Amino acid sequence: MTPPDDDDVLEALGIKPELSRKMGPFGNYAISLTVICVLAGGMALFGFGLAHGGPVVMLGSWVVIGGLTLLVGMSLADVVSAYPTSGGPYFMAEKLGGKRWGWYTGWLNLLGLLGAIAGIDYGAAAFIGAFAQLQWDITPTPTSTLLIFAAILLLHGLLNSAGVRLVNILNSISVWWQLIGVAVIVGTLTFAPTKHQSVSFVFTHFHNDTGFSPVYVALIGGLLAGYTFCGYDASSHVAEETTDAQMSAPKGMVRSIWVSWVAGFVLIAGLLFAMQDYTATQNTATGVPPVAIFLDVLGASGAKVLLFIVIVAMLFCGNAEVAAASRMIYAFSRSRALPGWESWRRVNARTKTPTRAVWFAVVVPFVLALPALWSPAAYGAITAINAVGMIPTYGIPVFLALRKGRHYESGPWTLGRWRRPVGVIAVIYVVIITVVFCLPQSTPITGETFNYAGVTLLVALLLATVTWMTRGKRNYQLAAAETALPSEAAEFSGGGF
């Protein structure tokens, strides 16, 4: 039987095809692998892991959470195959549960994506600051970090405005950069040190700086993996630009998770084996514990090379996240969900890219990061929505598909008879990890140490409720893109913003 044409599938779902379908199966996989980016999450949260359980929790939770994330990804992939649209989770949620499910899922997913861009690119700016300190002895400040952050966002806006072909090329390069980068870092840390930590230390040593009980610390220590395994919904957000999307998008999503699972374990283990001094690594003047390991093992010159590998991977990651977020903004706007939706849903006639949505995805994260000038805690409160916004939106479509029972119709990529047991485990895990994201992470609990994830989740839900009451019930319609805006082609015939 001949598979249905991609555009025919979209039109059957009530969506008018507008975007350029130039992304193949590898490109679809590449964007999710790039967004997960173990060289970003694994490195940025390495210090958190050292304080919250140490090696045994870092590696043990990576194995467990990576495996459970794979189950979530497989369950979500089943639904993506049935609904391969740029809207991703919110479109699936509405089709399976109704308008209100779609609205709340959309707002959580949108805020999570914007928080992710802020967190990824601000983290890249911090790592660039650490590099500048090693290279030119320039001490980073909140102002300099924010300026670097702004420059990174501008770069990502320009690259994404050029069209999906360039984004696809960059993501394809990113896959090899990340995997070869992990191999280079781990290989260097394996052969360069004169002394390594023991196998017993790496796989059994427990360390607790939090003041909480060991059992509790083992639970929250898993956030190193929990935060890293976010963003694989990117494969669904570019489905309208992917060939054979009903198979390519779910396959890309699942593949990105298990490859990241393996690569991340190797990376973290390699860093732990090479660590020379636990306390000194935690308290490094650079503020980046992996850099302390690089310095101890290789000296300044070698450390800068490895740090450069990590920084480039982070830049790839942020660029891919802007691509994914802009497609979600575009889709949510054609459903008339966002204020000013007429503007954000427009597609550039030359590049077939939602250019205005790209700049929306660049400007808003910069605004979100401005509080970092005055308070790291305030910035943390805003970017915490990354995980607590995105993870629930992975579980909601799975839950709704399970709730429909026999009335749910899978796409060509399906778990078949395993869909229900795998889906049940996935939903339970999503609920548990979301609660864990909101738990206190250190004592004493002060304004600087308070975990604002739960607060930001409540604020996001409140925002979704208020916008639903004031405009959602009146304006929101999932398939509002059936008729293109009449001025679109003329306004954008020359390309650009």
Side-chain angles (χ1 to χ4, degrees):
M1 179 178 178
T2 304
D5 179 77
D6 287 306
D7 288 348
D8 290 342
V9 173
L10 278 186
E11 290 175 352
L13 294 172
I15 299 297
K16 181 182 184 297
E18 295 181 286
L19 303 181
S20 176
R21 200 175 288 276
K22 295 181 178 178
M23 185 175 288
F26 184 82
N28 187 280
Y29 147 71
I31 192 171
S32 282
L33 183 82
T34 299
V35 171
I36 294 174
C37 192
V38 296
L39 282 175
M43 302 291 279
L45 293 165
F46 188 80
F48 175 88
L50 292 179
H52 294 75
V56 65
V57 173
M58 294 167 76
L59 289 176
S61 64
W62 188 272
V63 171
V64 173
I65 289 178
L68 290 169
T69 301
L70 184 60
L71 297 183
V72 177
M74 292 168 65
S75 298
L76 184 60
D78 191 299
V79 190
V80 169
S81 183
Y83 304 105
T85 76
S86 297
Y90 97 84
F91 190 96
M92 308 173 213
E94 168 150 345
K95 282 291 188 179
L96 295 169
K99 291 181 67 172
R100 188 172 297 191
W101 278 104
W103 181 269
Y104 277 82
T105 302
W107 275 100
L108 286 175
N109 192 231
L110 173 63
L111 294 172
L113 287 165
L114 295 173
I117 295 170
I120 292 164
D121 281 356
Y122 196 88
F127 270 64
I128 291 173
F131 183 90
Q133 188 172 30
L134 290 176
Q135 180 66 33
W136 301 291
D137 197 28
I138 299 175
T139 302
T141 65
T143 300
S144 67
T145 302
L146 191 71
L147 290 174
I148 296 170
F149 173 62
I152 293 171
L153 288 171
L154 177 61
L155 173 65
H156 288 161
L158 294 172
L159 291 173
N160 275 275
S161 295
V164 71
R165 186 186 296 275
L166 177 59
V167 172
N168 190 34
I169 292 171
L170 292 174
N171 289 336
S172 298
I173 295 172
S174 171
V175 169
W176 299 111
W177 184 275
Q178 286 201 55
L179 298 181
I180 295 173
V182 169
V184 169
I185 291 171
V186 174
T188 303
L189 296 181
T190 298
F191 294 106
T194 56
K195 181 190 76 172
H196 288 89
Q197 297 291 343
S198 67
V199 173
S200 174
F201 171 85
V202 170
F203 291 100
T204 66
H205 181 73
F206 179 82
H207 186 91
N208 181 8
D209 289 333
T210 67
F212 293 117
S213 70
V215 174
Y216 182 85
V217 169
L219 184 66
I220 60 174
L223 294 183
L224 163 62
Y227 276 113
T228 303
F229 282 110
C230 276
Y232 47 88
D233 59 321
S235 287
S236 68
H237 292 302
V238 295
E240 292 180 33
E241 296 158 277
T242 302
T243 57
D244 191 18
Q246 288 189 292
M247 292 296 291
S248 298
K251 284 183 177 179
M253 181 180 298
V254 173
R255 183 182 177 191
S256 70
I257 295 171
W258 73 255
V259 172
S260 298
W261 189 19
V262 174
F265 183 88
V266 172
L267 176 65
I268 295 170
L271 289 166
L272 291 172
F273 272 114
M275 185 166 52
Q276 303 296 297
D277 186 305
Y278 204 108
T279 303
T281 299
Q282 285 186 284
N283 300 320
T284 175
T286 66
V288 184
V291 174
I293 297 175
F294 298 163
L295 288 168
D296 289 343
V297 172
L298 302 169
S301 297
K304 285 183 283 189
V305 172
L306 298 189
L307 184 56
F308 176 77
I309 293 174
V310 175
I311 289 170
V312 173
M314 288 180 162
L315 294 176
F316 279 130
C317 176
N319 190 66
E321 190 69 275
V322 169
S326 65
R327 273 52 176 185
M328 193 277 163
I329 293 164
Y330 156 76
F332 212 33
S333 296
R334 73 185 176 193
S335 295
R336 304 182 180 183
L338 295 179
W341 63 269
E342 300 95 332
S343 179
W344 312 125
R345 60 90 63 227
R346 291 186 182 271
V347 176
N348 184 296
R350 180 176 61 85
T351 63
K352 300 297 182 182
T353 297
T355 311
R356 292 190 178 188
V358 167
W359 291 104
F360 184 106
V362 166
V363 172
V364 173
F366 178 77
V367 175
L368 292 178
L370 286 176
L373 283 172
W374 303 280
S375 171
Y379 171 69
I382 294 167
T383 57
I385 193 59
N386 172 19
V388 295
M390 292 176 74
I391 296 293
T393 66
Y394 302 161
I396 289 171
V398 176
F399 164 75
L400 294 174
L402 291 174
R403 193 178 69 165
K404 286 190 78 73
R406 296 178 181 176
H407 298 290
Y408 168 73
E409 296 182 11
S410 298
W413 193 101
T414 178
L415 293 173
R417 63 190 179 91
W418 292 100
R419 185 176 65 83
R420 178 161 292 277
V422 172
V424 169
I425 296 172
V427 171
I428 293 173
Y429 165 71
V430 166
V431 172
I432 293 174
I433 194 67
T434 302
V435 172
V436 172
F437 278 133
C438 300
L439 296 175
Q441 297 173 1
S442 60
T443 56
I445 299 174
T446 66
E448 293 297 315
T449 63
F450 185 76
N451 181 6
Y452 290 91
V455 176
T456 55
L457 177 58
L458 291 176
V459 170
L461 292 173
L462 178 62
L463 175 63
T465 300
V466 170
T467 54
W468 171 257
M469 297 297 295
T470 56
R471 64 186 313 274
K473 289 194 291 186
R474 181 178 67 256
N475 297 327
Y476 179 56
Q477 35 183 307
L478 191 61
E482 290 181 358
T483 304
L485 298 178
S487 61
E488 212 168 272
E491 183 174 349
F492 286 91
S493 60
F497 182 70

